[in-house]
Structures are given as structure tokens and as C-alpha cells.
Amino acid sequence: MSTWWKALAPVAVAIAIAMIPAPDGLGQHAWFYFAIFAGVIVGLMLEPLPGAAIGLIAVTLVTVLSEWVFFSPAELARPGFKAANASLAWALSGFANGTVWLIFGAFMFALGYEKTGLGKRIALLLVRAMGRRTLSLGYAIAAADTLLAPFTPSNTARSGGTIFPVIRNLPPLYDSRPNDPSARRIGSYLMWTAIATTCVTSSMFLTALAPNLLAVELAKKAVNVEIGWMRWFLAFAPAGILMLLAVPLLTYFLYPPEVKEGKEVPAWAAQELVKMGRLSLREIILGVLVLVALTLWIFGGEIMNATTAALVVISLMLLTRVITWEDMLANKQAWNTFAWFATLVALADGLGRTGFVKWFADAIAVHMVGFSPTVAAVILVLIFFFSHYLFASVTAHTTAMLPVMLAVGSSVPGMPMEPFTLMLVVTLGIMGILTPYGTGPSPVYYGSGYLPAGDYWRLGAVFGVIFIVLFLLINVLPRVL
């Protein structure tokens, strides 16, 4: 019976919203599309089916009904326009998205660590050095991400491709297994610490997240505000440093691991390293290839896209037999996440293409009349932050919402545009914590088997509120009081 209500709830929500007349200024097709999207979000929260299946069903439904739920009458009336072909191109667009392939590449890197044993070796080295206490392992993860962040403008590459393949080998050492009650022994703690940390570092540095760079360009064009690397860092650092220090400790208390410390574990790890023997040739090759990928991600942005670099390294892994094609085909988790995120990217893009996001932002501007610049700025930042629930990509959110939010802010008399612009753009990283699809590496950690859907949504909301409240209290209010 419990399964039935979970299956019916998304459908009921979609139908209920669709039966409400479209708000003024919004096309009926856009309102119908939003109804389907809302049903998808409910489905992802309740999971009557796997997330990838929900996404596939949703894009298929929109494609079939595109004449009524996706395209406006003006588009349909254009000479030569074929709704069937255009809707199919949209439905498949997520499978050509670079971030989706970069996420897939992160899973292949993890597969290489697993098949060669290099991941286990690195994990054992970490456990031997810092495994006496679980909390110290959390801080080791945070430190590693922070060191890489200024030089890696892709948090998917940094966290999903570099951090995750290492830490996924730690929980089994404590008999903590994915998709099992034992996940809470330590695996859940480590995975949440990793994703929460990378969201903070993504906001801390201009060069730690690709959409940050896009946001700077959009701000320059929209309101003529130029933001440099150090200006960005100083705008977030007071709250950001506190967040970085707090994430492992907050997670320790809000999502506590069952294993707090293990005095025998470091000694056991040392014995296991002796059993593993010297580095194998495959481990050495994989280590070199990972360094090549990391170098390209950090320094090769001008000559090679991060996703291209990942595909190059995966190809080299196949050529050197670090992994085999059969290994890749058997990695169901990677293919499942690939399909899941590809469909979500398309669905989130549809909100912008139907005009729903623009209508939503324009509606906000009407309600800003009469507010002081400070109050208006805080309200707009909160709307900008929490509207990320509607997006499966920080890039899509930045593209769709930032120019409109800046336009709304500039319409408020007396609004100081440079501080306001900084308030908006530096939240792009931390908003990724809200959902299992909020930022590039989110699906990687969500798909790890250590973070159940209910826990992820609950923790995302709690940490999202903590992050934005700390940011406003520490970075914003002291400047206006």
C-alpha cells in the first residue's frame, strides 16, 4: 500500500496544478509544463521508481504532449516548424550535455580505483594516518577539496572525479556498506561531508566552479559590475571559512556516524598495506592518468574542456587495460546516473524554454515596490537561492535567473549594485547542497548508496538554511547595520 501512494502522489500533484488556471502573464502550455515538473520533483523525493526512470518517463511525456505542454501557439504557427522533431531534440539534449558526461567520467575513474586496488591503497594510507577518529577523516576530506578548489573550475572533476573515488573505499574498511543499514556506520557521514564541503569551496573561489565565471560575465553585461578573483574571495570568505570549519563538525552532530573512533584500525590498515605489497603496474598507470586528468582540469582549460579531458583519460584507461569495456558495461550505477541526470538537465532547461522562469522572476519585481534596498536585496538573494530547487544545473540557474534578478535589483531605488551583485553570485556554490541534482557532483554522492533519498533531501534543506543564514548574518548584515 505504501508503494501505491508514493506512485500516485506525483501524478496527483501534477494533475492538481494543471487544473488550476494559468496565472496572468503565463502561457497555458508553460503552466502545464510546470505541473509536470512539479510532479517530477515529488516523484524524486518519494522514489516510487528509480530517479532515472522518473526522468525518462517525464521527458517522454512532455515530448508526446509537446503541442500542449511545451510549445507556445506562436511557435506552433511558424512555417515549417515540426513540434515532433523539436521536442525530441529537446528530450535528448541532456545526453549531449558536457557536465552529464563529466559525471559519467567520475564514475569510470572510481571504477579504475576499484579494479586496480589503488583506491583501497590510498584509503588505507589515509586510515593509517588519520583513522583513529572519524571526525579527523572528515577534516581530511575538507582540506583536500579546499586545496584543489582554487585551481579546478569544475566541482564535478574536483569532488566527483578526484575526492569521491578515494573516499568511497573508506567505508568498507569499517564494514559500512552502500544500500544497507550499515551505511550509517561511517559511509554516510563521509559522503555528506564531501558534498557539503565542495559546495562551500565552490562559492569560496571564483575559479572553483565554472558557472562562477559565467556569472561574472553576465554581471558585467547586465549591470556593468566587474568582479575580480580577490574581490570574489573577500565577499564570501568571512562566512565561507566558518562554513568550511563547521561542515565536518556539523555533520558529525546532525548526521552522526556510529563509528566514532577505532584504536585498532590504523594498525590493521598498516597490516593490510603489507598484504597488498608493492604498487602494481596498473596502479602506477592509473595514478599517472589521474594526475594527467587533474593537470588538464587545473591548467588545461584554454586547450581542452574538462569533459574532453575526462574522456581522453577514460580512453587511455581502456587502451592500457586499466579497465575493460566489459567493466564499463557492467557498471550499472554509472549508466543509471548518466540517464538520470541527462533527463533532469533537459527537464530543468524546459522551465526556461517555456517562459516559466522569466514569468516567475517578473512576478517578483512587482512585489519589490516599497521595500528598502537592504530588505529588497535580502529577499531577492533568498529567492535566488531557494529557486535552485527548480534547477538541475547551476549553469542553467545562472543563465536563466541571474540576469533577471539583477534587473529586478536595479529597479529598486537606491540599490547598491556592486554589493548586491556579489551577494547573488557568491551563493551559486552553496545552493548546490539543496537537492540530489543541485550541482555536478551531487548525483555521484547520491548514487553512492550511502545517502538515502529521504536523508539527502532533509540534510540538503537543513544545510541550505544554515549556509544562507550564516552568509547573510556574517557577510551582509554587518555592512548595512
Side-chain angles (χ1 to χ4, degrees):
M1 187 64 183
S2 60
T3 303
W4 276 107
W5 79 264
K6 288 183 178 181
L8 290 175
V11 178
V13 167
I15 292 175
I17 293 175
M19 291 180 67
I20 301 172
D24 292 339
L26 184 66
Q28 187 64 56
H29 70 290
W31 184 246
F32 284 153
Y33 182 87
F34 172 70
I36 294 173
F37 187 87
V40 169
I41 297 300
V42 173
L44 292 176
M45 295 175 70
L46 299 178
E47 283 196 319
L49 293 172
I54 293 171
L56 181 62
I57 291 169
V59 295
T60 302
L61 179 64
V62 172
T63 303
V64 172
L65 303 177
S66 61
E67 293 188 30
W68 300 276
V69 305
F70 197 72
F71 297 114
S72 67
E75 287 178 294
L76 294 171
R78 280 206 317 259
F81 180 78
K82 295 182 178 180
N85 293 343
S87 61
L88 180 62
W90 162 81
L92 299 177
S93 62
F95 292 92
N97 183 278
T99 299
V100 173
W101 280 99
L102 193 56
I103 292 167
F104 179 78
F107 274 94
M108 291 304 112
F109 281 26
L111 179 63
Y113 277 104
E114 179 183 339
K115 288 293 182 179
T116 63
L118 180 61
K120 182 179 180 181
R121 186 183 296 276
I122 294 173
L124 287 169
L125 288 169
L126 281 172
V127 169
R128 186 178 66 180
M130 304 183 69
R132 186 173 294 274
R133 289 182 173 82
T134 302
L135 184 60
S136 65
L137 280 175
Y139 278 101
I141 293 168
D145 196 297
T146 305
L147 290 172
L148 291 173
F151 312 103
T152 316
S154 167
N155 62 356
T156 308
R158 177 174 72 253
S159 189
T162 304
I163 304 294
F164 174 75
V166 174
I167 67 170
R168 76 190 295 263
N169 290 280
L170 294 176
L173 300 177
Y174 294 85
D175 197 29
S176 181
R177 308 291 175 182
N179 302 307
D180 185 83
S182 65
R184 286 298 302 274
R185 285 179 60 79
I186 191 172
S188 299
Y189 168 78
L190 295 179
M191 295 300 168
W192 187 258
T193 298
I195 184 60
T197 295
T198 206
C199 289
V200 175
T201 58
S202 294
S203 274
M204 180 79 79
F205 306 104
L206 172 61
T207 48
L209 184 69
N212 291 350
L213 301 166
L214 172 63
V216 167
E217 185 64 24
L218 291 176
K220 182 178 179 181
K221 291 180 179 179
V223 291
N224 198 31
V225 171
E226 296 192 33
I227 304 170
W229 195 97
M230 186 56 68
R231 185 74 183 91
W232 180 294
F233 175 76
L234 293 176
F236 188 76
I241 292 172
L242 178 61
M243 290 179 200
L244 279 176
L245 294 174
V247 162
L249 192 60
L250 272 175
T251 308
Y252 194 79
F253 287 108
L254 295 178
Y255 201 45
E258 295 172 6
V259 175
K260 308 295 185 182
E261 61 179 299
K263 296 180 179 180
E264 296 82 11
V265 168
W268 170 83
Q271 293 176 356
E272 289 296 305
L273 283 168
V274 172
K275 291 179 183 178
M276 288 189 71
R278 301 178 63 180
L279 277 170
S280 68
L281 179 60
R282 290 175 71 213
E283 287 179 271
I284 294 172
I285 292 173
L286 178 61
V288 171
L289 292 178
V290 168
L291 289 176
V292 168
L294 188 59
T295 302
L296 288 172
W297 285 336
I298 296 174
F299 303 110
E302 295 295 324
I303 59 173
M304 187 177 294
N305 181 276
T307 303
T308 305
L311 293 175
V312 167
V313 172
I314 291 171
S315 299
L316 292 173
M317 288 168 67
L318 288 168
L319 288 171
T320 56
R321 305 291 292 178
V322 168
I323 59 174
T324 66
W325 183 246
E326 288 72 23
D327 293 332
M328 288 183 64
L329 289 176
N331 194 338
K332 294 181 180 179
Q333 192 178 49
W335 294 106
N336 177 69
T337 305
F338 175 76
W340 179 65
F341 201 58
T343 52
L344 281 181
V345 166
L347 287 167
D349 174 67
L351 285 172
R353 291 188 58 170
T354 58
F356 179 86
V357 171
K358 185 179 185 306
W359 167 83
F360 176 70
D362 289 344
I364 297 169
V366 176
H367 300 288
M368 290 295 104
V369 178
F371 286 108
S372 69
T374 300
V375 174
V378 171
I379 291 173
L380 290 174
V381 168
L382 290 173
I383 292 171
F384 184 66
F385 184 85
F386 286 106
S387 65
H388 193 59
Y389 275 106
L390 301 176
F391 292 89
S393 161
V394 180
T395 301
H397 189 156
T398 304
T399 304
M401 292 291 289
L402 181 61
V404 180
M405 289 291 103
L406 290 172
V408 173
S410 64
S411 69
V412 177
M415 177 69 77
M417 286 310 296
E418 182 174 341
F420 172 64
T421 302
L422 280 165
M423 286 170 62
L424 286 176
V425 297
V426 298
T427 63
L428 289 172
I430 55 175
M431 68 175 58
I433 197 63
L434 291 172
T435 68
Y437 52 84
T439 190
S442 299
V444 176
Y445 289 99
Y446 178 70
S448 69
Y450 288 99
L451 297 171
D455 290 357
Y456 204 118
W457 284 96
R458 175 176 58 83
L459 288 168
V462 170
F463 274 71
V465 170
I466 291 173
F467 285 169
I468 195 65
V469 168
L470 281 176
F471 173 69
L472 292 175
L473 287 178
I474 297 174
N475 286 28
V476 176
L477 293 185
R479 299 180 184 182
V480 298
L481 292 179

